[in-house]
Amino acid sequence: MKINKKVKIALGSIFGIFLILFVVLVVHIATAKPLVIDNASLQISRIDFKEPIDSLKAKEIHRNLKSIPGVKTDRLNRETGVLVFFHDIKIADSKTIYDKLIAMGNYKAERFTLPKELENKTACPVMNEDSFSYKFSRGIQRIFN
C-alpha cells in the first residue's frame, strides 16, 4: 500500500511539473512580441571566400569592407571562409559591395545568393515550417495575437 501511494505521488509530481512548464511555455510564446527593426533598409548579405583566410587577411578584409559606404558591421568565420555583413540598401546593394571589395583586394570569393525556392519564404530559411515546434508556436501566436 505504501509503494502504491509513493508511485501516485511521484507520477503526480512529474505531471504537475510538466503542466507548469507547459503553461510557462505557452505564456512565453503568447507574450513574446515580434522584433521591430527601426531601420527597414538594413540587409544582411554573405560572401564565401574560396581561399584560406589568416588573421592578417581577415583584418585586411574587415578594413576594406568598412571603407565601403553603406556597410554597417561584418563577421568573418576564418575556418569556413564565410563573411556576413549588414549594409544599408539605400546606400549600396550587396553586388556593389561585393564588386568593390573584390576590386580592393583581388580575393578569390563569390557572392552568396539565395536559391529561387527560398527567395519568397516568409520564415527563416533554416526553419522547417512542417515541424511540430514551428506549427505549435505559430498556433499559440495566432490564439493570443
Side-chain angles (χ1 to χ4, degrees):
M1 193 105 171
K2 281 186 171 183
I3 294 175
N4 194 16
K5 187 175 182 179
K6 288 182 181 182
V7 170
K8 286 182 183 179
I9 290 173
L11 289 176
S13 298
I14 291 171
F15 178 73
I17 290 171
F18 176 77
L19 184 63
I20 289 170
L21 291 175
F22 183 77
V23 169
V24 168
L25 176 66
V26 169
V27 169
H28 174 71
I29 292 172
T31 58
K33 299 295 179 212
L35 179 64
V36 178
I37 299 173
D38 294 337
N39 190 353
S41 63
L42 197 63
Q43 180 178 350
I44 188 169
S45 296
R46 173 177 156 180
I47 297 174
D48 296 331
F49 286 89
K50 304 299 181 190
E51 60 183 317
I53 306 292
D54 60 4
S55 61
L56 292 175
K57 190 162 221 154
K59 288 179 183 178
E60 175 190 329
I61 291 168
H62 174 72
R63 206 172 30 256
N64 289 342
L65 194 61
K66 290 297 277 182
S67 70
I68 299 172
V71 175
K72 302 297 182 192
T73 60
D74 64 286
R75 295 286 182 267
L76 175 62
N77 184 331
R78 290 182 17 215
E79 288 79 32
T80 61
V82 173
L83 169 73
V84 292
F85 58 96
F86 287 92
H87 59 95
D88 190 338
I89 58 175
K90 291 180 181 176
I91 299 171
D93 65 345
S94 63
K95 178 153 181 25
T96 304
I97 294 170
Y98 169 77
D99 292 339
K100 287 182 180 181
L101 181 66
I102 296 301
M104 288 177 175
N106 196 17
Y107 305 112
K108 293 181 186 101
E110 64 183 35
R111 187 170 66 99
F112 178 80
T113 54
L114 280 176
K116 293 291 181 195
E117 63 270 6
L118 296 178
E119 283 182 353
N120 297 325
K121 200 168 180 188
T122 57
C124 176
V126 296
M127 183 175 280
N128 183 3
E129 292 182 33
D130 294 327
S131 69
F132 171 75
S133 60
Y134 178 80
K135 290 178 181 179
F136 177 75
S137 62
R138 288 295 302 153
I140 297 296
Q141 285 177 343
R142 285 189 189 126
I143 290 171
F144 291 101
N145 291 336

